[in-house]
Amino acid sequence: MRVIALKTLRRFWESHPNARQSLQAWYQDTLHATWKSPADIKNLYRNASILANNRVVFNIKGNRYRLVVAVQYQFGIVRVRFVGTHSEYDKIDATWI
């Protein structure tokens, strides 16, 4: 998959260093993935939440942080839409961000 917005992840782990390893591992896993459907994501990340509008929520660093992405399965693109703490996540509508 092609991941758009590594810069967003990098900015986050620079301000939250304990998230760095988990975000880098997610990034590497995603680069090597070939997700054709939400089921492919669930096979790798059982705790991922599949939402409307092709949004997927990943728990990062033992569920301490949340990562929301928009997946364009037909083009193999994963676009980072949000990364933040649970309290920050609670303030957004992940299906439209």
Side-chain angles (χ1 to χ4, degrees):
M1 303 297 287
R2 181 173 164 217
V3 180
I4 297 176
L6 173 60
K7 183 178 180 180
T8 302
L9 297 178
R10 187 176 293 122
R11 274 192 306 225
F12 188 79
W13 76 52
E14 286 173 353
S15 63
H16 298 83
N18 64 341
R20 182 180 186 147
Q21 183 178 4
S22 297
L23 287 170
Q24 286 178 333
W26 175 87
Y27 179 76
Q28 288 301 315
D29 287 348
T30 303
L31 282 179
H32 295 99
T34 53
W35 297 331
K36 300 294 182 189
S37 72
D40 293 335
I41 295 172
K42 291 294 274 185
N43 285 337
L44 184 60
Y45 292 99
R46 292 185 181 176
N47 291 328
S49 298
I50 308 300
L51 305 180
N53 297 322
N54 291 322
R55 299 303 195 264
V56 182
V57 180
F58 295 93
N59 297 319
I60 302 295
K61 183 71 176 158
N63 207 18
R64 187 169 180 180
Y65 303 108
R66 292 283 176 98
L67 171 64
V68 179
V69 301
V71 182
Q72 293 178 314
Y73 298 98
Q74 67 275 26
F75 300 112
I77 296 172
V78 176
R79 184 180 304 271
V80 175
R81 305 301 296 162
F82 170 85
V83 60
T85 65
H86 269 273
S87 61
E88 293 167 337
Y89 173 81
D90 290 341
K91 296 174 185 174
I92 66 165
D93 180 354
T95 60
W96 290 107
I97 195 162

